[in-house]
Amino acid sequence: MQTAAVIAEYNPFHNGHAYQLTQLRLAGATHIVVVMSGNFVQRGGPAIFEKRLRAAAALHNGADLILELPLPYAMATAERFAFGAVSLVAACGCVDLLYFGSECGSLPLLEQTAQALENPCLPNLIAPYLAQGLPFAAARSRALGQGFSPALAQVLEGPNNTLAVEYLRQLHRAGAAIQTATLRRQGADHHSSGTCQGFASATWLRERLTLGEEILPFVPSSAAQLYAQAAIASPALGERAVLARLRSLSAQEYTSLPDLSEGIERRLKNAVAGAASLEEVFTLAKTKRYPLARLRRLAFSAYLGLDGSLCRQSPPYLRVLGHNQRGREVLARMRSTAALPVCASLAKLEKTSPLCRAFAQAEASSCDLYNLFQPHLRPCGWDYTEGPVIL
């Protein structure tokens, strides 16, 4: 039994994801566990499809067991995203290999970059660039180029590379005895607005789906069938709800949001007061120092009432979103290897500990608020009652 893990959003699942899982199976993985974001994703905002449908698409195309990445990590910085996801992989206790995509396709280069980021001299090299007003990511990249190698700085220009480096850092910090391997990203770039050799970026696919256009050549047919029957989460439908929440927040509530520094919360609050749309909020608040993704995460964290301290806690449980027969075999093994409670029921997990309750309630509330982005409303509490996807 060779169990491998993949960390993903599948927003939506497409040919590139199917290719990765196929290559992983060809490399010898008998069982594939996926740690997948829920209904809100790292770019800030709702996933285009509800999490169970995205889990089903993955299970139909190579995944065996889908575990949910809790909201506090799913909508966080690359470092916190990786911290939560790698912690869950390690907590399974039976994963042999962590497999991830990258633009460079070079594990040694990614490992060198991860080691450089752990160097105690790096903060002193970063400080002058931060003083110049550069955002942290750009300042860190400049510091790597200056103090180590331009090649390492170039690694961090790729979003998949950046996540891969963070996975390696978190594995090292956790002391997890899990092997790693990387696969070079195929086809279109991460945020590409085009297609390449049968592959398309998730950004491009979301645009086509929103417009009601055909995407079948670029997603597996089974996934396309699921998408054709599913409701699409539209940012426009929930925009007023988000603005209402942002306008009603007190100054003190803004200061409790995740990932705050350098007065960004004041800039966001001022932008909200002067804007008539979310796009205008981000336009008014955005600067060289405050990139769009960070502002989006802050705005949606405020909308969801997300406690900024939760992403600094270790995950308290392993929640099952779906599985097939091979996934059930992994779950059977996890009964004796898992370091955390394992369950599909959020209601049961909520009763395990006070920290589990805080995470579960945040998850359930976010699902109720995700519902406001869909054309047909559901009553509150459905994340407590919906079962896992079982194939």
Side-chain angles (χ1 to χ4, degrees):
M1 187 172 183
Q2 172 81 5
T3 303
V6 171
I7 299 166
E9 290 186 324
Y10 295 154
N11 186 34
F13 190 94
H14 56 62
N15 285 353
H17 300 131
Y19 174 78
Q20 182 191 43
L21 297 183
T22 298
Q23 293 303 305
L24 182 50
R25 196 74 74 181
L26 291 173
T30 59
H31 298 71
I32 299 177
V33 177
V34 176
V35 175
M36 190 191 78
S37 300
N39 284 335
F40 288 85
V41 293
Q42 198 202 11
R43 65 189 292 268
I48 193 162
F49 294 121
E50 192 269 333
K51 58 191 176 186
R52 289 175 181 82
L53 183 131
R54 287 162 34 238
L59 290 169
H60 277 289
N61 290 281
D64 297 320
L65 172 64
I66 312 293
L67 301 174
E68 182 172 33
L69 178 63
L71 175 70
Y73 317 109
M75 207 169 62
T77 64
E79 181 178 0
R80 293 295 172 186
F81 181 96
F83 166 66
V86 169
S87 296
L88 291 180
V89 170
C92 290
C94 60
V95 171
D96 305 298
L97 173 73
L98 178 60
Y99 196 63
F100 42 79
S102 63
E103 286 85 3
C104 70
S106 170
L107 187 59
L109 187 57
L110 294 169
E111 289 175 334
Q112 290 172 32
T113 307
Q115 290 169 9
L117 292 181
E118 295 295 318
N119 191 297
C121 297
L122 190 62
N124 291 333
L125 296 175
I126 293 174
Y129 294 111
L130 290 176
Q132 295 173 20
L134 291 178
F136 178 78
R140 187 173 67 169
S141 182
R142 295 273 188 93
L144 276 180
Q146 172 197 341
F148 297 89
S149 164
L152 300 188
Q154 189 174 5
V155 166
L156 295 183
E157 293 179 7
N160 293 113
N161 284 347
T162 299
L163 278 173
V165 167
E166 293 299 339
Y167 298 152
L168 292 169
R169 294 178 72 194
Q170 295 303 327
L171 279 172
H172 173 73
R173 291 176 183 178
I178 297 174
Q179 296 180 330
T180 54
T182 190
L183 177 71
R184 184 188 293 273
R185 183 183 175 89
Q186 300 294 309
D189 291 339
H190 187 76
H191 295 300
S192 171
S193 58
T195 64
C196 180
Q197 300 176 343
F199 295 96
S201 71
T203 301
W204 187 87
L205 289 169
R206 287 193 297 272
E207 291 172 354
R208 303 283 79 74
L209 284 164
T210 301
L211 295 171
E213 296 181 2
E214 181 60 65
I215 62 167
L216 184 57
F218 308 104
V219 302
S221 59
S222 58
Q225 292 173 14
L226 289 170
Y227 301 159
Q229 302 168 19
I232 292 176
S234 168
L237 289 177
E239 181 177 43
R240 290 200 174 201
V242 178
L243 287 172
R245 175 61 177 162
L246 291 174
R247 289 184 176 190
S248 66
L249 285 182
S250 67
Q252 183 176 359
E253 288 173 313
Y254 270 100
T255 63
S256 68
L257 295 175
D259 191 28
L260 294 181
S261 64
E262 302 141 350
I264 187 173
E265 71 279 9
R266 292 191 296 274
R267 187 171 184 87
L268 179 61
K269 189 177 191 319
N270 291 337
V272 168
S277 69
L278 273 180
E279 182 177 355
E280 193 173 356
V281 168
F282 301 137
T283 298
L284 291 173
K286 186 176 182 295
T287 68
K288 182 171 66 174
R289 192 64 171 267
Y290 305 138
L292 178 60
R294 187 178 179 192
L295 290 166
R296 287 181 59 87
R297 286 196 296 268
L298 275 177
F300 278 92
S301 293
Y303 167 63
L304 299 173
L306 187 57
D307 182 345
S309 68
L310 290 181
C311 68
R312 294 176 174 82
Q313 302 285 336
S314 295
Y317 54 65
L318 291 154
R319 189 192 185 190
V320 177
L321 285 182
H323 54 78
N324 59 19
Q325 178 56 45
R326 286 187 297 266
R328 288 191 283 279
E329 292 170 1
V330 178
L331 288 171
R333 188 177 177 190
M334 286 171 60
R335 292 194 192 106
S336 60
T337 64
L340 295 172
V342 184
C343 191
S345 169
L346 200 62
K348 290 181 180 178
L349 288 171
E350 183 179 77
K351 298 174 183 177
T352 308
S353 72
L355 187 60
C356 284
R357 184 178 304 111
F359 271 77
Q361 290 178 351
E363 206 72 60
S365 175
S366 75
C367 290
D368 294 337
L369 293 172
Y370 175 84
N371 193 20
L372 299 181
F373 291 88
Q374 296 192 307
H376 304 292
L377 295 180
R378 297 184 184 185
C380 290
W382 59 275
D383 201 30
Y384 284 114
T385 57
E386 289 287 316
V389 178
I390 300 176
L391 298 188

